[in-house]
Amino acid sequence: MAADEGDWLELSTPTGGVIRVLKAAHPRARRLRLTVTPKGARLTYPNGTHTAQMTAFLRHHADWLEQKLGEFHMDAKPLPPLRVGVPTSFPFRGDEVALAWAEGPYPKVEHEPGRLTLVIPRPHTRALMVARGLLASFFEAQIRRDVSRWLPTHIPQINAAPTALRIRPLKSLWGSLDTRDRINLDLALALAPPAALRYVLVHELCHLKVRNHSPRFWHWVESILPEHKEQRAWLRAHGSGLKMQLDRLVADVAD
């Protein structure tokens, strides 16, 4: 069952655990939406939604919610925050890279095998924000370069093309296709092996042909990317760690 505690709902899971879900009204929400991030579970709902509707929705998705929270390893040790001048490391394109810092006349990212260097002018009162923006732009550019190489191959295969490509951090998804045929990709995919990024791209391209996850949809994916199951399994096993890494690098960074 679920219990209402102000801004939180408590859900008893099928395995005997208790999950706390943050609830938040949104003036533009049209339906209930449940998301899971490294910070926990969140239920967004339209204004006027009765608590009974929310609790019923959570019970219906209890198995999924417990599984997703487990994937994020909520008891795992938090990642160290990004700090100006302090070297660290993180995954990039499936390999661990070192992050170094340097001074220069203008902000930029220098990339060499196994190493990224953030060049930031000094003194700079907003150095951390600049560093975060540099990394976000660098990750997006890498994804766009990969996608631009693959689209000429895959568009003829499905005889359809997206109207636009948008890349940004996504809370719980890796990608989506909206009603205007625009593909959205998670910025965290820059940290994954290119094969995993390619799987997500193919997945969303195939939704141009089939808007659901029926056998017909998966037949399209299989025909274009026979190894898709391997990449899907990799994202399930390692994806939560990638999203946590992205969060500390470009979102919740500390001074």
Side-chain angles (χ1 to χ4, degrees), residues 3-10 19-25 41-45 51 54 58:
D4 187 1
E5 292 191 356
D7 293 332
W8 296 84
L9 290 171
E10 287 194 349
I19 297 173
R20 298 189 79 219
V21 180
L22 178 67
K23 60 176 184 174
R42 179 186 180 97
L43 178 66
T44 304
Y45 60 92
T51 301
M54 291 186 270
L58 289 181

Side-chain angles (χ1 to χ4, degrees), residues 7 45 66 90 98 122 127 218:
D7 293 332
Y45 60 92
E66 190 170 33
F90 59 88
R122 296 292 181 90
W218 289 112

Side-chain angles (χ1 to χ4, degrees), residues 98-139:
L99 179 67
W101 302 78
E103 294 183 25
Y106 58 89
K108 64 178 179 176
V109 177
E110 295 179 346
H111 181 208
E112 55 188 298
R115 182 186 181 95
L116 289 178
T117 301
L118 290 176
V119 180
I120 299 177
R122 296 292 181 90
H124 201 303
T125 58
R126 300 177 66 249
L128 193 57
M129 292 295 293
V130 171
R132 183 171 66 181
L134 284 172
L135 286 171
S137 297
F138 180 77
F139 294 156

